[in-house]
């Protein structure tokens, strides 16, 4: 009898252990994801690290490790390679990568696993010209020496798309420099114009302006309409850089903007993607402390993206009534 009781007791203990193990597995350890951000000099880096910190702090389901990266194009490649599950990215780069267009790393080789979690803040396309070069609007770029970024970069794709749609791509003297080379060339007078996609004010533009007189180039309404006619109106939006954003800027300047996105791999489970977005917006005030541009993050604009939303994000936005 005692032996039977001992066996029965042992069986109960085993069952309890098995149930506890099952429940532990069901409760699960935190899912660990890696996020590609950007370089320390940009906005993607501090904002990405802050988002990772906040989600990891308040969620018992997700831990995010943010990493420094080469920003948009490198992050798209990282998603495709499986190195990142989350990343920061320009909206037009995300569109080109997802659709396999314009960027040499993805043309005919789309990043089909790319999904959007949230639109974050506007990233104006700032066109900077040497004062005295006779450049007031984007139409005046014809015949000028224009730094359009390194081939294969997100900046190059942005400049190519806009200038091609306006019929200007083959009418400019293209200089295939990244921003650092372009700014040096502008100081030396060998480049008339450079493109940069960055928040306003951009310290790098302020630095150039200390050494050479510059102006911001306007994108007038007829150019914006032509982009809309080319089907690019949802990718490049009208944006006004307020007067006084730079010491040299005396009036408002109309330009275009893309949007900084938080993107994710489609294979991240729906409940995990939902948890990330939910935690972000429940603690948005904390995220907004990291940088002035983070003040522009808002729930109502978050679902406005040029690539498909992850189902987890879509579920959250529908629950919040900002997506039908």
């Amino acid at each position: 009898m005692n032996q039977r009781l001992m066996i029965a007791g042992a069986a109960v203990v085993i069952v309890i252990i098995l149930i506890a193990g099952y429940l532990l597995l069901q409760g699960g350890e935190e899912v660990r994801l890696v996020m590609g951000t950007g370089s320390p000099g940009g906005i993607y880096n501090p904002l990405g690290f802050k988002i990772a910190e906040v989600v990891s702090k308040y969620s018992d389901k997700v831990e995010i490790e943010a990493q420094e990266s080469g920003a948009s194009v490198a992050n798209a490649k990282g998603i495709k390679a499986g190195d990142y599950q989350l990343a920061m990215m320009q909206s037009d780069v995300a569109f080109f990568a997802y659709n396999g267009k314009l960027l040499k790393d993805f043309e005919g080789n789309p990043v089909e696993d790319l999904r959007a979690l949230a639109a974050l803040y506007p990233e104006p396309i700032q066109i900077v010209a040497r004062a005295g070069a006779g450049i007031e609007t984007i139409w005046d770029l014809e015949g000028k020496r224009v730094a359009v970024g390194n081939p294969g970069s997100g900046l190059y794709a942005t400049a190519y798309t806009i200038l091609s749609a306006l019929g200007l791509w083959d009418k400019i003297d293209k200089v295939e420099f990244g921003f650092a080379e372009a700014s040096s060339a502008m100081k030396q007078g060998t480049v008339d114009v450079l493109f940069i996609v960055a928040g306003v004010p951009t310290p790098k533009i302020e630095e150039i302006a200390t050494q050479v007189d510059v102006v911001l180039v306007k994108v007038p309404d007829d150019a914006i309409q032509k982009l809309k006619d080319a089907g690019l109106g949802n990718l490049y939006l009208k944006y006004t850089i307020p007067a006084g954003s730079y010491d040299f800027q005396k009036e408002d300047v109309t330009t275009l903007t893309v949007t900084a996105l938080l993107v994710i791999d489609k294979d991240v489970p729906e409940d995990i993607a939902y948890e990330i977005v939910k935690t972000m917006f429940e603690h948005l005030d904390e995220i907004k402390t990291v940088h002035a541009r983070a003040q522009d993050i808002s729930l109502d604009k978050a679902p406005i993206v040029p690539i498909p939303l992850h189902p987890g994000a879509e579920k959250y936005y529908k629950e919040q009534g900002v997506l039908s």
Side-chain angles (χ1 to χ4, degrees), residues 43-264:
I43 300 173
Y44 285 2
N45 183 280
L47 180 56
F49 272 81
K50 189 65 175 180
I51 290 171
E53 174 192 319
V54 167
V55 173
S56 300
K57 176 181 176 181
Y58 292 106
S59 173
D60 58 3
K61 293 183 179 180
V62 190
E63 179 182 349
I64 301 175
E65 177 192 341
Q67 293 184 357
E68 179 181 331
S69 77
S72 294
V73 173
N75 289 345
K77 293 169 71 174
I79 292 280
K80 188 173 182 67
D83 297 329
Y84 304 137
Q85 292 77 51
L86 292 159
M88 305 285 289
M89 200 172 295
Q90 281 179 213
S91 54
D92 58 342
V93 172
F95 177 84
F96 298 143
Y98 177 77
N99 290 285
K101 296 180 177 180
L102 293 176
L103 293 165
K104 68 178 183 179
D105 294 296
F106 310 113
E107 193 159 12
N109 186 30
V111 187
E112 295 176 340
D113 291 345
L114 202 59
R115 296 292 184 272
L117 274 185
L120 300 175
Y121 61 89
E123 291 190 283
I125 298 163
Q126 300 178 71
I127 309 170
V128 185
R130 288 189 303 106
I135 302 169
E136 182 178 350
T137 78
I138 198 168
W139 299 117
D140 299 324
L141 267 57
E142 183 173 345
K144 300 298 192 295
R145 296 164 295 179
V146 183
V148 294
N150 293 312
S153 69
L155 179 60
Y156 187 94
T158 299
Y160 171 83
T161 305
I162 292 170
L163 295 176
S164 294
L166 298 179
L168 291 169
W169 184 252
D170 294 326
K171 297 178 180 179
I172 62 171
D173 181 4
K174 291 176 281 293
V175 182
E176 295 177 345
F177 283 171
F179 185 81
E181 292 174 293
S183 59
S184 295
M186 179 169 282
K187 294 170 190 174
Q188 296 164 8
T190 56
V191 160
D192 299 312
V193 184
L194 61 81
F195 277 67
I196 182 170
V197 180
V200 176
T202 298
K204 293 176 181 178
I205 293 177
E206 294 176 323
E207 190 271 330
I208 292 173
T210 63
Q211 299 184 47
V212 59
D213 290 337
V214 296
V215 296
L216 293 178
V217 178
K218 300 174 183 176
V219 181
D221 287 344
D222 58 343
I224 293 172
Q225 185 59 51
K226 192 162 186 177
L227 290 170
K228 289 180 180 177
D229 293 342
L232 298 171
N234 292 328
L235 204 55
Y236 300 108
L237 307 173
K238 184 176 181 178
Y239 186 87
T240 299
I241 302 174
S245 294
Y246 298 97
D247 289 342
F248 62 84
Q249 184 195 352
K250 306 306 180 187
E251 60 182 8
D252 290 352
V253 172
T254 301
T255 184
L256 303 163
T257 189
V258 292
T259 305
L261 302 183
L262 180 61
V263 299
I264 192 168

Side-chain angles (χ1 to χ4, degrees), residues 6-71:
M6 289 176 62
I7 292 172
V12 169
V13 170
I14 291 171
V15 169
I16 291 172
I17 291 172
L18 289 174
I19 291 173
Y22 174 79
L23 291 174
L24 181 62
L25 287 174
Q26 293 303 302
E29 296 181 358
E30 287 184 327
V31 173
R32 181 178 174 276
L33 305 175
V34 180
M35 179 197 293
T37 62
S39 64
I43 300 173
Y44 285 2
N45 183 280
L47 180 56
F49 272 81
K50 189 65 175 180
I51 290 171
E53 174 192 319
V54 167
V55 173
S56 300
K57 176 181 176 181
Y58 292 106
S59 173
D60 58 3
K61 293 183 179 180
V62 190
E63 179 182 349
I64 301 175
E65 177 192 341
Q67 293 184 357
E68 179 181 331
S69 77

